[in-house]
Amino acid sequence: AERAPCPAGMQLVMFIPDFIGKTSSARNVLGPEISREDAAFNISRAAWLIHALCMGNLDNLKVSVQDKMHQPQRGKALYPYLFPMIEAAEDAGACCGYLSGAGPTVMALTSGASGDIFTQREKERTDKAVAKAMMSTAKKFGIQGRIVVTQASHEGARVLKADPPFSSDIFTYRDEV
């Protein structure tokens, strides 16, 4: 597998509902077949997503996360707040929004200056406006939840503790694992 680069300054704004979405329920709303047209649509969007990330063009993300294979079905049957929340997030300045996995979390991507969010100037960031718009939409639909703002990790999974430890008196691994 290869990693796609994340554009500098890209932030993830997640609305995480207080309920758990069952994967089996999310699968059950999908049809047994996918049309060639819908498959081609989604494949083209996947290619566009990789291109947008590699080029660092956050403006292209809105098109790249469009979907015909699962979001419309899950939004209609399980998560009626999905598309209004995406629209609210984009209207508030998000580059794009989408259903995270099978749901129920909704993810919005925002841009800002490169670096840690705590070192950025307020006018460089849209995460707060997007978070407020997403939470406002949730309240309109009677959905309780919370917002988490974070950044993509280039690192992946990381061992925090090992027993027996890998580190020794001679050498120390990062985090003294």
Side-chain angles (χ1 to χ4, degrees):
E2 296 288 329
R3 292 182 194 264
C6 291
M10 185 175 78
Q11 296 177 358
L12 295 74
V13 181
M14 297 176 277
F15 172 73
I16 305 171
D18 284 347
F19 65 89
I20 295 173
K22 291 180 64 177
T23 303
S24 59
S25 298
R27 285 185 185 143
N28 287 337
V29 302
L30 303 178
E33 296 181 10
I34 298 168
S35 73
R36 182 178 302 180
E37 180 183 319
D38 288 352
F41 180 91
N42 273 44
I43 290 168
S44 71
R45 294 320 189 261
W48 194 246
L49 173 64
I50 298 303
H51 178 71
L53 292 173
C54 287
M55 299 306 294
N57 188 338
L58 295 172
D59 293 333
N60 285 339
L61 292 175
K62 184 174 181 177
V63 172
S64 71
V65 299
Q66 292 173 346
D67 170 80
K68 289 189 177 183
M69 293 171 52
H70 80 106
Q71 288 188 150
Q73 299 86 333
R74 290 174 172 156
K76 182 178 179 182
L78 301 173
Y79 314 122
Y81 58 88
L82 174 63
F83 291 107
M85 187 174 287
I86 290 171
E87 183 178 357
E90 290 174 350
D91 288 348
C95 301
C96 67
Y98 55 90
L99 183 65
S100 181
T105 296
V106 178
M107 181 84 72
L109 303 182
T110 66
S111 63
S114 179
D116 188 273
I117 61 173
F118 298 107
T119 63
Q120 297 171 5
R121 292 187 301 253
E122 190 70 26
K123 66 181 181 178
E124 297 173 319
R125 299 172 51 197
T126 58
D127 56 323
K128 285 184 181 179
V130 170
K132 288 177 183 177
M134 293 173 80
M135 191 59 81
S136 176
T137 302
K139 288 182 181 175
K140 288 177 188 172
F141 282 84
I143 306 293
Q144 298 294 313
R146 64 188 177 107
I147 297 286
V148 174
V149 178
T150 189
Q151 291 178 307
S153 172
H154 297 279
E155 182 176 23
R158 186 169 120 200
V159 176
L160 298 177
K161 183 176 182 179
D163 190 20
F166 287 6
S167 298
S168 70
D169 294 337
I170 300 170
F171 57 89
T172 302
Y173 285 94
R174 186 175 106 189
D175 298 329
E176 298 186 21
V177 176

